Amino acid sequence: MEWEVDAGTSKYSPTVADDSLYLGGDFDGFVALDPADGSEQWEYDIDADPGEPVAIVDGTIYASTWRGDIHAIE
């Protein structure tokens, strides 16, 4: 399944936590969406395609790129 967002397409499973749905995709970053209506809450640019779905630990979002970079988003 692909997820369509204004920024592009996500081919990864979403992560849901803290009243947000997190997606990474071919738009070189990650977005947080409101799961109730799909509106975008924020976008984070990583300048590369994401490598996997995000992981969330103690309120910090960990996102990887296909190059192996890890980003900690608070």
Side-chain angles (χ1 to χ4, degrees):
M1 169 177 243
E2 291 185 350
W3 296 79
E4 294 288 333
V5 295
D6 288 343
T9 302
S10 176
K11 296 177 182 169
Y12 301 103
S13 298
T15 300
V16 178
D18 301 325
D19 298 324
S20 294
L21 185 139
Y22 303 94
L23 289 172
D26 64 1
F27 42 87
D28 291 346
F30 291 89
V31 293
L33 306 175
D34 182 317
D37 63 14
S39 63
E40 186 173 307
Q41 297 170 331
W42 55 261
E43 183 176 342
Y44 183 82
D45 183 19
I46 57 173
D47 197 31
D49 285 345
E52 298 289 333
V54 300
I56 302 170
V57 178
D58 295 330
T60 301
I61 301 162
Y62 295 94
S64 66
T65 71
W66 66 272
R67 295 182 298 218
D69 303 323
I70 303 292
H71 295 258
I73 309 162
E74 295 188 62

